[in-house]
Amino acid sequence: MPALPYDEAGKYVAAAYTVFVALILLYVLIMVARISRIEQDLAELADVVDAQPNARTEDPTPDKVTS
Amino acid sequence: MYGKGLRPLAAATAVTITVLLAMVFFWTPNDADQGFIQKIFYIHVPLAIVALCGFVFGGILGIQYLRTRDPKWDLRSYVAIHLSLMFALGVLVTGSIWAKGSWGHWWVWDEPMLVSFLIVFLLYACYQPLRFSIEQPETQARYAAVFAIVAGAFVPINFAAVRMAQSYVHPRTLGTTTGGMPGEMMLTFLVGLVGVALLYLTLWKFELATKQIRFRVKAMRRKLGAADTAPTRRTGAPELS
């Protein structure tokens, strides 16, 4: 087949690169949702720790997770 | 552990992908035969190569799991395979778009390269249902590792079989008898390959880091005796204790 003109080929090229970007974006959005859930869990855990009587002396939350 | 070095890796990925896009649209010449539509090549082929290598990588991690029985290898293999599946989906869609523009059809069934890639994709699409069908985590991990190894071995065999096939309908750009691509095109392609490989590695490490944090939070919850708010449900994803 002969090469497509720019205006015709441009649509296909734009579509292909859009698919690539959309896939990455979709993945990032899924990961953002998961991280928000983890944050929520961490907030609940912090409440549990605060509710314990010796919460001030023993903090079981490692720094790595909270930072 | 998995989050270590993630930031520089993500930065390197972003820079490489940006450079790739600049090279594709502002520097690399149009293909003499296909014209502007050939630009799809610089994303389609690296995605395909990285997806196939990712499947093999998942198989190697599966071997590690069977050798050590350490669930972390199962988790690594699982993430590698599901990321590769996502990349493979990208290959099928971008390939179909290219085929429509070049050949006038979204799909050509008598073209070995396309059909063999679809077979690999469908094979790996069974990975998640396989995991989900097995309830006991240890058995699930073992069966998944065996699947990953067997399917991972099938990938290079399948690729070699296609290369040996007689049809030359699919554009061959690497290792052709006429000498392959000119310098600018080859360099852009290599940048694309590095960029997509870095993207794969970044996403793999990122997902592993996220999962590890989730497992830590779960462990802390158990330690503190807090009630698990999330309902216990069957899952195909590996769980670390």
Side-chain angles (χ1 to χ4, degrees):
Chain A
M1 278 182 84
L4 287 175
Y6 263 105
D7 55 335
E8 267 291 302
K11 285 190 295 189
Y12 292 108
V13 174
Y17 279 85
T18 306
V19 166
F20 174 65
V21 173
L23 268 177
I24 298 172
L25 208 65
L26 180 72
Y27 181 85
V28 170
L29 285 176
I30 292 168
M31 293 313 288
V32 165
R34 283 185 187 171
I35 289 170
S36 331
R37 214 158 50 220
I38 293 171
E39 274 182 348
Q40 213 176 328
D41 282 354
L42 273 175
E44 281 170 24
L45 276 181
D47 289 345
V48 172
V49 171
D50 285 343
Q52 287 189 349
N54 54 352
R56 291 282 150 228
T57 51
E58 279 178 47
D59 185 3
T61 312
D63 287 341
K64 264 186 193 171
V65 177
T66 49
S67 61
Chain B
M1 173 189 166
Y2 296 111
K4 205 176 165 190
L6 193 55
R7 205 172 287 188
L9 194 62
T13 305
V15 169
T16 317
I17 298 281
T18 311
V19 169
L20 168 72
L21 293 177
M23 285 173 86
V24 168
F25 294 109
F26 300 111
W27 186 66
T28 313
N30 281 342
D31 183 71
D33 180 39
Q34 292 201 39
F36 188 63
I37 201 164
Q38 186 266 349
K39 302 278 184 192
I40 297 174
F41 164 82
Y42 301 108
I43 203 70
H44 170 73
V45 179
L47 271 176
I49 292 173
V50 171
L52 293 177
C53 289
F55 287 139
V56 176
F57 180 50
I60 293 167
L61 296 171
I63 293 173
Q64 276 300 99
Y65 171 75
L66 290 184
R67 281 183 64 213
T68 61
R69 298 295 163 124
D70 186 341
K72 77 175 181 217
W73 290 107
D74 178 44
L75 179 69
R76 288 171 182 174
S77 175
Y78 169 82
V79 174
I81 287 174
H82 101 233
L83 260 180
S84 295
L85 202 60
M86 203 181 78
F87 276 44
L89 180 68
V91 175
L92 288 173
V93 178
T94 55
S96 290
I97 293 168
W98 193 3
K100 178 68 180 166
S102 282
W103 302 331
H105 300 284
W106 292 105
W107 191 262
V108 183
W109 282 107
D110 57 359
E111 215 289 292
M113 186 78 84
L114 269 70
V115 179
S116 67
F117 195 89
L118 181 67
I119 291 170
V120 170
F121 177 80
L122 292 176
L123 174 70
Y124 277 96
C126 301
Y127 179 75
Q128 189 73 22
L130 170 82
R131 293 195 72 110
F132 192 80
S133 67
I134 303 163
E135 207 164 350
Q136 214 273 324
E138 209 273 323
T139 316
Q140 184 190 82
R142 200 170 64 240
Y143 279 39
V146 171
F147 180 98
I149 295 163
V150 174
F154 172 73
V155 169
I157 294 169
N158 184 53
F159 183 76
V162 171
R163 295 292 287 188
M164 284 188 277
Q166 291 304 305
S167 171
Y168 290 98
V169 178
H170 198 89
R172 278 203 173 185
T173 41
L174 300 169
T176 58
T177 48
T178 51
M181 288 185 287
E184 292 110 315
M185 287 180 163
M186 180 55 99
L187 185 63
T188 309
F189 165 70
L190 291 175
V191 171
L193 192 58
V194 171
V196 175
L198 282 174
L199 177 69
Y200 180 89
L201 204 60
T202 307
L203 296 181
W204 183 71
K205 275 178 80 81
F206 178 56
E207 186 161 344
L208 283 173
T210 314
K211 284 195 185 296
Q212 197 187 34
I213 292 170
R214 193 165 61 83
F215 297 140
R216 274 190 188 172
V217 170
K218 268 191 169 178
M220 274 162 48
R221 191 184 279 279
R222 275 199 300 272
K223 221 178 203 174
L224 288 167
D228 207 342
T229 48
T232 314
R233 59 185 173 87
R234 197 157 153 186
T235 173
E239 293 280 330
L240 296 184
S241 50

